[in-house]
Structures are given as structure tokens and as C-alpha cells.
Amino acid sequence: MVSPAPDATGVPASVTVEDVRAAQKTLAGVARTTSLEGSRHLTRLVGSPVHLKCENLQRTGSFKLRGAYVRIAGLSPGERERGVVAASAGNHAQGVALAASLLGVASTVFMPEGAPLPKVAATREYGAEVVLHGQVVDETLRAAQEYAEETGAVFIHPFDHPDVVAGQGTIGLEILEQCPEVRTIVVGVGGGGLIAGIAVAVKELRPDVRIIGVQAEGAAAYPPSLAAGRPIALETVSTMADGIKVGRPGDVPFKIVGGLVDEVRTVSEDALSSALLLCLERAKMVVEPAGASPVAALLSRPESIEGPVVAVLSGGNVDPLVLQRTLRHGMAAAGRYLSLRLRLTDRPGALAALLKELSVADANVLDVGHVRTDPRLGLDEVEVELHLETKGPEHCDDVRNQLRAAGYTVVLTR
């Protein structure tokens, strides 16, 4: 593809639907046309059909291959000869590595030193030379840009380039083909490349379709940027959703989002973890927290979204340790974990009696801890901390009430 010429501000001109159609031709036989799966649970919640666009099942496990391949395919022979370089903690790294390998271009990917080992291994297996540098992505990004300046390698930005936006926009064309009756498309937003591409494709062909972006509350750069009319960098970003953990909108996608996207919402960490849990349990889909963000928006405000709805599951590359922690967080947010601290008389059989009471309440004990040295305790008292698996908020209330009825003093509950 030939990138649009810059405008007077130096920012490349907006991407068009024809650019997206050209990207679709470029990606033929490379990117999968991912499936659109219905969700009965979310359909009941929203009150109209909800479909999941499964980019978590794309090659490399996320949508990133689309934009990376279109960008690298558009390089001149001389640029290809110099190779490409990227910086990423995961999805973009794998997308660039595979795209470059398919096109016969050498790739170097800088990743943070603490990047999950499965993502590092996958990036190497896709053919990239991996350089571990820096503790945070900003340090990794600077190192990659310095490498590009020193070697002449072409830096492949994860979202701030027209070719990348056009590549991601092919998802929008697929959605319209697979679900022509769609009324709302919900998309996770980091730098904005994905939602910008989808908006370009969809709004040109179906201006009546509402497009909603979703950001994590701790990494929501778009709402203040849109209010100010220019990209604004956040001082700090904090979220479990690494895929949308971006502190500043990209210049190219920002102009598109401001003109075409109907709304950008934020969701809490509890909503993200609950959405990930729902995707796993109900949809049988392994997604990363960023990929679950559209589902989190549906869970948070289902009544405000007109259907039929398509929620884009942008990726499924979740580190097993992160998945374990997130699922626990999601179960706690759903009221399926209960932590209690109780005071008992420190005598033989007291703990056994407590556990028997919990058995009657049908609560599964996950962990038991004892505190005997707290100055608040009497000489014959012990404090017991319990972590329980429960069946939901109502069951949590039943467990607490049953313990109190049995004469136990509940000191702390959460």
C-alpha cells in the first residue's frame, strides 16, 4: 500500500475505506477470516443478539498480524533489505515477527526484560531476533527507535501508521459481511489503531452502526484527549489489560476516532476480570484482559447498548500466571470467593468444629491461617483467617449468617 500524504500538521491524511479494501486483498491467504460466535448469556443480558468476533483465534493469537503485515508489505525493496524493528511486550511482537517471516524480511523485536516467557518464545519461533531490554515498555521503545536510527531498520509502530490502521480495519469489513444486521460494534482501545480501522470501514458503508470504544479506567487516555481536541499523555497508567495499556493516543488513529467513533467508555478492573471469567466459562474462549474489555462494557451497562451487537475479542495471548490471578480476581468480583477472619477459643477441637459448620454451609475451604500473637486477642483466643470458595453473593451472605448464628465472632469479611 501507498501511505496517504501528510496534511498541513504533518500527520498523515486519514485512511479511507478503499485503503481498507486494498489491505483486505493484501491479507488474502495470510490473515484468517475469524469466526463470529453468538453468546446466549450476553444476549439475555443485553436483550438483543450479541456476537463475539474471535480475533483471539487469529494467527499469532491477536488482530496485530493484520496491521503488521500490511505495513511491512508496503515497504520498498530497499526498506525490506534493511529489515524491520519493533518494540512490544507481546501481541505486536508476534504479529511483526510472523509478518516479516512470511514476507522474507529480517526482523528484530525489543521486548521488556520481564516479558512473559511464552510470548518471548513465540516471538522467536515466528522468526524474529528478540532483544530483551528495559523494565518498562517505554524503555524498550526507546531502545528499538535507537536501533532503527543506527541500523536503518524500519520501525514498525503498533498503531500510529495509516497502513497499520487500514490492516486492522479489515475486521470491520468482515463484521459487516458476517453480521449485516449489526447495530453496535464494541472495541477495546489502547493507542486506537484497531477501533480507527474498524470505524473507517464501517462508517463509510454503514453510517447508522454505532461504534463504542472501551478503555481501562487506569489507562484511559482517549476521554481527556477527545475533550481537549488533541492527544494528551497520561502521567501514569495502571491496568491488568496490557494490550490496551497505552498512555497516549496515536496521532493517526486519534483524528479518525474523533471524527467517526460514537463513544469511548471506561471499565473497572473488576469488570475486566469478570468479563475474562465469563468468556472462559460461558463462551469457552481464552482471551486476555484487553480482549475481554468489550465484554466488560456489556456487563457494566447492558441496557445502554443497542443490538444486534458485535464485541471484538481482540486477543487471547494471556500469560498462564496472569490468567490464574485474573480468574481469581474475577471470581472474587463475582462473589465466588469469601475471606473471613474469626475469633475462636484456643482449645482442641475448635477449628474442627468451625470447619464442620462450614461444611454444613456448603462452603469449600481453600486456605486456613492462624494468628495468636495479636495484642487485641485474649489469652485464650486465636484468630483464624479463612479463604472460601462460594457460589455467589447470596451464598456468601448465607455463610456469614450461619457462622454468626452458630456463635462465631466475624472480625473481618471481604
Side-chain angles (χ1 to χ4, degrees):
M1 292 181 62
V2 177
S3 302
D7 63 15
T9 67
V11 177
S14 186
V15 181
T16 69
V17 70
E18 294 307 319
D19 296 325
V20 180
R21 287 197 174 108
Q24 191 173 45
K25 292 179 181 178
T26 299
L27 289 168
V30 176
R32 295 170 181 155
T33 299
T34 51
S35 62
L36 199 68
E37 303 290 341
S39 170
R40 286 182 294 179
H41 179 80
L42 291 172
T43 293
R44 286 195 298 270
L45 184 69
V46 174
S48 58
V50 175
H51 307 279
L52 306 175
K53 178 60 172 167
C54 301
E55 282 297 293
N56 58 313
L57 304 181
Q58 183 59 261
R59 296 177 72 176
T60 73
S62 88
F63 72 96
K64 288 290 189 177
L65 172 66
R66 296 175 185 259
Y69 189 91
V70 173
R71 172 76 172 101
I72 298 172
L75 298 179
S76 68
E79 289 172 325
R80 292 194 188 194
E81 183 66 26
R82 298 199 300 271
V84 298
V85 61
S88 168
N91 289 345
H92 182 58
Q94 294 172 68
V96 168
L98 179 57
S101 293
L102 292 173
L103 290 163
V105 177
S107 63
T108 302
V109 176
F110 284 73
M111 303 182 76
E113 293 175 6
L117 293 178
K119 294 184 179 182
V120 174
T123 303
R124 287 191 173 122
E125 289 172 9
Y126 286 129
E129 178 185 348
V130 174
V131 178
L132 299 178
H133 181 91
Q135 298 300 315
V136 295
V137 174
D138 285 345
E139 295 175 0
T140 308
L141 178 62
R142 285 195 295 271
Q145 291 170 329
E146 289 172 2
Y147 177 90
E149 293 172 2
E150 293 169 0
T151 66
V154 179
F155 180 72
I156 306 299
H157 199 284
F159 51 82
D160 205 9
H161 192 279
D163 287 353
V164 174
V165 170
Q168 321 305 26
T170 58
I171 296 171
L173 296 180
E174 290 177 15
I175 289 172
L176 294 183
E177 293 167 3
Q178 294 169 318
C179 186
E181 68 278 13
V182 64
R183 296 292 300 167
T184 304
I185 299 173
V186 189
V187 189
V189 179
L194 175 60
I195 194 170
I198 290 175
V200 166
V202 172
K203 287 293 189 177
E204 176 69 22
L205 303 173
R206 286 281 307 280
D208 59 301
V209 174
R210 186 170 174 80
I211 298 178
I212 298 176
V214 184
Q215 293 204 288
E217 287 179 351
Y222 263 91
S225 297
L226 291 170
R230 58 183 175 81
I232 292 177
L234 300 176
E235 292 185 4
T236 60
V237 290
S238 176
T239 177
M240 68 176 74
D242 286 345
I244 54 175
K245 190 177 181 180
V246 178
R248 182 188 184 277
D251 292 325
V252 173
F254 178 77
K255 295 183 72 173
I256 297 169
V257 171
L260 297 179
V261 172
D262 296 281
E263 180 185 357
V264 177
R265 305 184 174 186
T266 61
V267 292
S268 67
E269 299 296 284
D270 282 355
L272 286 168
S273 56
S274 295
L276 189 149
L277 179 62
L278 184 144
C279 288
L280 186 62
E281 287 190 324
R282 297 299 183 95
K284 314 307 176 191
M285 290 286 174
V286 176
V287 296
E288 56 197 271
S293 58
V295 176
L298 294 177
L299 293 177
S300 300
R301 293 170 56 192
E303 75 290 343
S304 66
I305 298 179
E306 181 185 0
V309 181
V310 173
V312 180
L313 305 183
S314 58
N317 292 320
V318 56
D319 179 68
L321 295 176
V322 174
L323 178 62
Q324 182 183 43
R325 292 196 299 269
T326 306
L327 288 177
R328 284 187 174 273
H329 188 91
M331 291 183 73
R336 292 163 58 182
Y337 277 136
L338 177 62
S339 295
L340 294 169
R341 189 174 291 178
L342 307 97
R343 288 184 184 174
L344 306 177
T345 302
D346 193 7
R347 58 177 175 77
L351 180 59
L354 172 61
L355 296 179
K356 182 178 179 180
E357 201 69 44
L358 291 169
S359 177
V360 172
D362 202 20
N364 184 34
V365 179
L366 300 174
D367 190 34
V368 180
H370 288 78
V371 177
R372 286 190 167 88
T373 57
D374 194 310
R376 296 172 299 172
L377 296 174
L379 293 176
D380 61 342
E381 286 185 321
V382 62
E383 214 163 70
V384 176
E385 185 168 352
L386 298 162
H387 299 280
L388 311 174
E389 183 180 2
T390 57
K391 299 174 183 177
E394 291 183 2
H395 189 210
C396 289
D397 291 339
D398 292 342
V399 171
R400 283 188 286 256
N401 292 336
Q402 184 160 331
L403 290 173
R404 290 188 177 106
Y408 291 100
T409 301
V410 179
V411 179
L412 177 68
T413 179
R414 62 182 187 274

